[in-house]
Amino acid sequence: MKIRKAVIAAAGWGTRFLPITKSMPKEMLPLLNKPLIQYSVEEAAACGIELIVMVTALGKREIEDYFDRRVELENMLTEKGEHKLAREVRCLCDLADICYIRQKEQLGLGHAVLSAKSIIGDEPFALFLPDDLFEYGEVVLRRMLDICDRHNGSVIAVKPVTEAEVSRYGIIDSRKLEDRLYQINDLVEKPPPSEAPSNLAIMGRYVLTPAIFRELEQVPPGKNGEIQLTDGLRRLAQREPVYGYEFMGERYDAGTIPGWLETTAALALRNPELGPRFRNYLNNLLQRTKEPTISP
Ligand code: UTP
């Protein structure tokens, strides 16, 4: 069955970026010349997703404006002979159909997913947490869509992390089926290393069957009334197969300041136009910072 729809959860507060997120959505932070959220939209479009349900909240209007047309800008660029830029600006609006749903209270990721229920309906869908960027995002999602189709179940992107890192992630308890593919028995949210059932951590890409909505509706609200996606996934794994796909390549967390810096640096180094100059700059900078500081 072709998966046509995706949900992008973009309603979080972005407190780790305050004060800038006081008046600017975290999803609009730049990674080179694109906002963070564009990477998820492009990835979805490249994998054949036709409709994106963007779950947003108060203060996130800039996201809607960004993916809308700006005809005067296109005309101005065309008149100036900047045809490539004009095309680029125009193409943004044609990546996929995007509809926006407001999560009226930020009651957790599970609640955000549940807000998309009426638009997703009774079909499987991809779920993106846009803070997470994958080196081979398109390849990873294609593979996950394929696993969902072949094995008839939900799929979660997972990656091995170090013992010190397990307490920052949802961790899966699973049985290996084949190379890079696991059947999930259970999931534990942020366990202390001594209680972690494995070192396989959940990262921000999912392909979910619509049964997740029924489970999320049953999840009792936890701390601050929040409904956690992990709790819904735990219930789902008891009723139908849920798989973990161990993806290849790097994953960057642009949702924290150090992670955003690392993501920016990685993208700049990989960029054919910026890469050589930036590499050179970094090498010089590292060389200079090694030298003892001379007081003026
Ligand atoms: P995070 O836990 O990273 O929270 O959410 P956040 O608000 O984005 O960032 P901080 O922690 O305040 O700095 C994980 C994902 O779930 C979405 C976020 O937008 C992010 O994609 N989310 C979270 C919602 O859509 N709604 C919520 O109520 C909570």
Side-chain angles (χ1 to χ4, degrees), residues 145-198:
L145 294 169
D146 176 56
I147 294 168
C148 172
D149 195 37
R150 269 195 303 129
H151 293 267
N152 243 319
S154 298
V155 191
I156 304 176
V158 295
K159 185 178 173 61
V161 294
T162 63
E163 196 181 318
E165 288 172 324
V166 290
S167 57
R168 285 175 23 206
Y169 295 95
I171 302 291
I172 63 167
D173 174 1
S174 62
R175 179 169 65 91
K176 188 166 184 170
L177 295 179
E178 55 186 69
D179 189 34
R180 300 191 171 273
L181 188 65
Y182 299 82
Q183 172 138 15
I184 298 179
N185 307 317
D186 203 0
L187 307 95
V188 195
E189 188 61 34
K190 302 188 173 124
S194 57
E195 287 166 31
S198 74

Side-chain angles (χ1 to χ4, degrees), residues 12 19 22 25 46 60 65 70 79-80 98 100 113 120 189 213 239 241 247 252-253 256 261 264 272 282 294:
K22 181 171 173 243
K60 303 267 186 175
D65 289 343
R70 183 107 187 258
E79 275 161 31
K80 281 188 160 180
I98 305 181
Y100 298 86
V113 173
I120 295 295
E189 188 61 34
F213 295 125
R239 281 163 187 73
F247 60 89
Y252 305 101
D253 175 10
T256 64
L261 271 174
T264 303
L282 282 183
I294 303 158

